[in-house]
Amino acid sequence: MFGTYERFNLVRCSFARSGSNTYIAEDYHKHGLLRIGNNWTGESVNSTDFLFDVKMTMNGTPVKYTYFADEGSVKLEANGAVAEIALTDRSHFRIRGAYCGLRLELRSASGKGAAACRGMYAMQDGSGWEGEFGRFGKLFFRALSGNFSVASIFDDSKPGSKGEYSLVRIDFMPDAATGEFDAAIHDYRDKLLPFGEYEDFSDLVEDNCAEFAEFTENYLTPAKGYEEMSKYAMWVVWSHRTKVIGNFKQPHILYQNAWSCAAAPWQQSYNAMAMLANPAEAWRLNNVMFQYQNPLTGHTPNMMTYANAPAGGVQPAFQGFALDYLIRKLGDGFISEDEAERVYPQMSAWAEYWTTYHNAGFGDDVIAMHSPHESGWDDSSIFQDGFPAVDPCANTFIILLMEAVALLAGRSYSYKDKRDAWAARSEKLLNTLVSEYWDGEKFIARVKGKPVDSFSLANYQPIILGKRLPQHIIDKVAEKLTEEGCWLTDIGLASESMQSERATFGISFVCGRVVGPMNMILTVGLQAAGKQKEADFIARRYCDHTNREGIILGYAPYNYYLHNGEKAAQQVPPIATDGWPWSSWSANSYLTMVTGVIGK
């Protein structure tokens, strides 16, 4: 799937496995060099101190190698020799090799050496070596066959030295008789976790493939022509799935493994929408972040990592939209009375949080944004006039969230008397949105009562309300979104009109690029509004381009800006701040479109 001579490599898509904290990525600046890190702390591959260069050796000397990765393992090859790395979900990974050695050499992303190391020492029982890496946890190195050596230098001789390790190098070497080696590297926080017996390496690879195949059963069959990339997309989601460890009380799906390795609440809902073949898992994911909800305010954290506690701030109230989509596709039979009873207090508290702490002050449920991140449109021109901004996108999410709360109340044992009030609040906010924030051409944001003159695609996101909207609005939105050269590009919908002077394809997130989540949201909305032809048309443009280029978060639609003809600033490296490496967020958006929109 990913390899030196394959269609895609590990520069933009890190190799990982469901339930493993370890990832492997190709060095962006030194192509051909793989690096191993872990995502315990949520730090990005471009800034972390915890990265090991992976070097294939012959007679102790590093040699150039090629690699191939699939769901089972990563294989390195050079001059007829092969080394292989396979991850597990049991807090360790394995390495084996034939007629070669493999070296792991600690080097920070900044190139400053082995700064992450706090100690390297042989275990007293002779079982192996342990490395202490501070906030990154510990590693235990063990040879199952063959041998290994450790070279470490603690340098405190230089003036002003902090007393850091300047070198940490582990060399796994083949047995002289067989020419082979097999090793295990354990990853943990405090003490070595029980792991049982080591399985045969080949069995481990087969188990990885089998577990991935089982995971693909969460999804419906994709539309014809999208099968290959759907496998990539499913693998990306699977390889970003956590286990129950650290701060995660249930499995979550990380945004990325090597760059922005955190779990966010609305992205769990994105993943839920794609899992139409497993309603129970979709329902669980949509509600999973409520476990960390503030019992006093209803606040749900905006993200979390293995090692870092749930963070403050908020992200969009996506759960109502996701549930609306799931119910339209599956009916509501997957929500039992017991589950409605359990989730109603959580989801209603979430709705009350927004309408209380983000209230616009008009005496109703209209909410206002104090940061663009709260809406999901981080650098959109819809916020160009400042804050607080009454954003039609965020208010649309609240309409659907309150409707979902009403649904749960109606299906519960104890809260049935709450249903009508929530339904009325939802309908009232819908009427306000239509009567006060639709200007005849688009939905508008307001700052201090004045409309924002924006050309953002966000102005059309309320189409997710579907047939709740008047037909003339539905028709106008469909017309605008299918007009060539405005928001519609050759590869899908741009997040800012191509005629806007603010449109940029560089470092921006949603101010010009063609971004997967926004294309999914708008096409799902068009479909909900009865505009299947338009939804299919746009989704195919986006997904066809993904088939060609891979599952990155956003694409530059052109090499120049349509509004002035100037060359576009679009060549950005895969770093945490740009979001252009492959991500599970793009993968689940693609899967939703190819299984639920295209051809439906």
Side-chain angles (χ1 to χ4, degrees):
M1 294 173 69
F2 303 96
T4 305
Y5 301 117
E6 296 299 312
R7 186 175 173 197
F8 302 113
N9 59 33
L10 296 178
V11 173
R12 298 217 165 180
C13 182
S14 61
F15 178 83
R17 185 209 188 279
S18 175
S20 173
N21 297 109
T22 301
Y23 64 82
I24 301 173
E26 185 175 352
D27 192 296
Y28 179 77
H29 301 287
K30 298 180 179 179
H31 284 233
L33 176 66
L34 295 181
R35 310 191 75 187
I36 288 180
N38 75 24
N39 53 27
W40 268 110
T41 64
E43 293 186 15
S44 170
V45 69
N46 68 300
S47 62
T48 181
D49 285 332
F50 190 79
L51 277 174
F52 288 86
D53 289 342
V54 180
K55 299 180 179 180
M56 199 171 177
T57 62
M58 290 186 173
N59 299 317
T61 302
V63 296
K64 290 184 177 181
Y65 57 82
T66 58
Y67 69 86
F68 174 80
D70 60 18
E71 58 266 40
S73 65
V74 179
K75 290 183 178 179
L76 287 62
E77 299 184 3
N79 304 322
V82 178
E84 190 171 7
I85 305 171
L87 307 180
T88 77
D89 61 356
R90 299 182 301 285
S91 298
H92 72 276
F93 62 96
R94 297 274 297 281
I95 302 175
R96 70 175 175 181
Y99 310 108
C100 67
L102 192 133
R103 174 177 296 170
L104 300 179
E105 187 168 337
L106 188 62
R107 175 170 64 90
S108 71
S110 63
K112 294 181 179 179
C117 188
R118 296 293 181 267
M120 288 292 296
Y121 34 84
M123 304 294 279
Q124 290 184 353
D125 60 4
S127 58
W129 278 67
E130 185 175 68
E132 162 68 56
F133 300 96
R135 66 185 183 279
F136 302 103
K138 299 180 180 181
L139 293 179
F140 171 60
F141 303 91
R142 183 177 185 181
L144 306 182
S145 66
N147 207 341
F148 74 101
S149 66
V150 177
S152 61
I153 299 174
F154 183 78
D155 189 359
D156 60 357
S157 61
K158 298 178 181 178
S161 170
K162 296 180 181 179
E164 294 178 343
Y165 279 81
S166 59
L167 175 68
V168 171
R169 177 188 296 157
I170 301 93
D171 275 291
F172 295 96
M173 299 168 288
D175 181 271
T178 65
E180 299 178 352
F181 74 87
D182 190 352
I185 296 93
H186 291 258
D187 174 12
Y188 48 98
R189 301 297 288 174
D190 300 311
K191 61 181 181 179
L192 188 62
L193 301 174
F195 54 88
E197 295 183 2
Y198 295 105
E199 68 268 68
D200 178 79
F201 197 103
S202 296
D203 290 342
L204 169 59
V205 173
E206 290 182 8
D207 288 346
N208 287 347
C209 294
E211 184 174 318
F212 169 65
E214 182 180 359
F215 180 79
T216 64
E217 295 175 4
N218 287 304
Y219 303 95
L220 299 179
T221 302
K224 186 176 181 181
Y226 301 95
E227 298 90 349
E228 179 191 28
M229 190 54 64
S230 290
K231 181 181 179 182
Y232 277 101
M234 294 173 195
W235 180 86
V236 170
V237 176
W238 175 75
S239 66
H240 287 69
R241 190 173 187 268
T242 76
K243 59 186 172 185
V244 179
I245 193 171
N247 285 313
F248 293 123
K249 299 177 182 179
Q250 292 183 22
H252 293 58
I253 296 172
L254 301 177
Y255 170 54
Q256 291 168 327
N257 268 311
W259 290 276
S260 299
C261 31
W266 66 326
Q267 288 156 13
Q268 307 312 300
S269 297
Y270 274 91
N271 282 288
M273 292 175 67
M275 295 185 178
L276 295 178
N278 189 347
E281 177 64 2
W283 170 249
R284 184 193 72 82
L285 274 173
N286 198 41
N287 304 317
V288 70
M289 292 295 282
F290 291 143
Q291 300 172 96
Y292 317 103
Q293 192 171 41
N294 185 315
L296 298 177
T297 65
H299 171 264
T300 300
N302 75 332
M303 64 178 57
M304 60 185 296
T305 69
Y306 285 100
N308 299 319
V314 290
Q315 291 190 344
F318 207 83
Q319 292 83 1
F321 169 57
L323 187 57
D324 181 63
Y325 176 77
L326 292 172
I327 290 174
R328 276 193 289 105
K329 294 295 182 180
L330 304 172
D332 61 5
F334 61 89
I335 307 173
S336 67
E337 289 181 319
D338 287 340
E339 281 298 287
E341 184 81 8
R342 180 182 68 86
V343 175
Y344 170 84
Q346 300 170 339
M347 196 172 287
S348 61
W350 181 224
E352 293 284 20
Y353 166 80
W354 281 96
T355 58
T356 300
Y357 295 95
H358 286 265
N359 196 280
F362 303 147
D364 54 17
D365 287 324
V366 175
I367 64 170
M369 300 294 96
H370 302 97
S371 160
H373 306 287
E374 297 168 356
S375 78
W377 290 83
D378 293 12
D379 52 10
S380 169
S381 62
I382 202 170
F383 299 116
Q384 64 192 20
D385 293 347
F387 300 94
V390 178
D391 165 20
C393 304
N395 279 281
T396 300
F397 284 140
I398 300 303
I399 292 167
L400 293 175
L401 182 64
M402 291 194 296
E403 186 175 289
V405 173
L407 172 74
L408 296 183
R411 293 185 70 88
S412 69
Y413 304 118
S414 307
Y415 306 105
K416 291 185 184 297
D417 60 332
K418 308 291 187 183
R419 191 197 73 83
D420 290 347
W422 279 109
R425 289 173 69 178
S426 176
E427 186 174 0
K428 181 180 179 182
L429 185 55
L430 169 63
N431 292 335
T432 298
L433 182 74
V434 170
S435 62
E436 298 183 22
Y437 294 89
W438 174 257
D439 71 357
E441 294 289 321
K442 62 184 181 299
F443 287 94
I444 56 170
R446 292 184 184 273
V447 176
K448 296 180 180 178
K450 297 181 179 179
V452 179
D453 186 18
S454 164
F455 290 93
S456 174
L457 183 64
N459 293 315
Y460 300 100
Q461 185 167 295
I463 193 65
I464 64 176
L465 292 166
K467 294 182 179 179
R468 300 171 186 84
L469 294 172
Q471 190 62 43
H472 72 274
I473 292 180
I474 292 172
D475 292 341
K476 177 59 71 173
V477 172
E479 175 190 330
K480 290 291 186 180
L481 296 183
T482 52
E483 182 181 346
E484 300 281 358
C486 288
W487 288 273
L488 182 63
T489 76
D490 296 341
I491 62 172
L493 293 171
S495 48
E496 180 82 3
S497 170
M498 295 295 93
Q499 305 304 318
S500 169
E501 293 182 359
R502 296 180 65 93
T504 176
F505 310 148
I507 205 70
S508 76
F509 171 40
V510 285
C511 200
R513 285 206 178 213
V514 176
V515 181
M518 282 61 194
N519 276 265
M520 184 278 283
I521 291 171
L522 272 295
T523 55
V524 164
L526 286 168
Q527 183 184 65
K531 295 290 185 178
Q532 173 61 30
K533 179 180 177 181
E534 291 83 350
D536 190 292
F537 174 66
I538 294 168
R540 285 183 184 274
R541 284 202 178 184
Y542 177 84
C543 293
D544 288 349
H545 189 66
T546 299
N547 285 356
R548 296 187 291 268
E549 299 296 333
I551 310 172
I552 68 173
L553 183 58
Y555 310 97
Y558 304 111
N559 291 323
Y560 62 94
Y561 296 120
L562 267 63
H563 65 274
N564 61 14
E566 293 181 2
K567 183 179 179 180
Q570 64 184 60
Q571 298 303 315
V572 291
I575 60 176
T577 52
D578 66 31
W580 306 135
W582 286 33
S583 76
S584 68
W585 198 9
S586 307
N588 57 50
S589 294
Y590 177 89
L591 288 167
T592 295
M593 285 184 275
V594 300
T595 62
V597 176
I598 294 175
K600 303 299 180 180

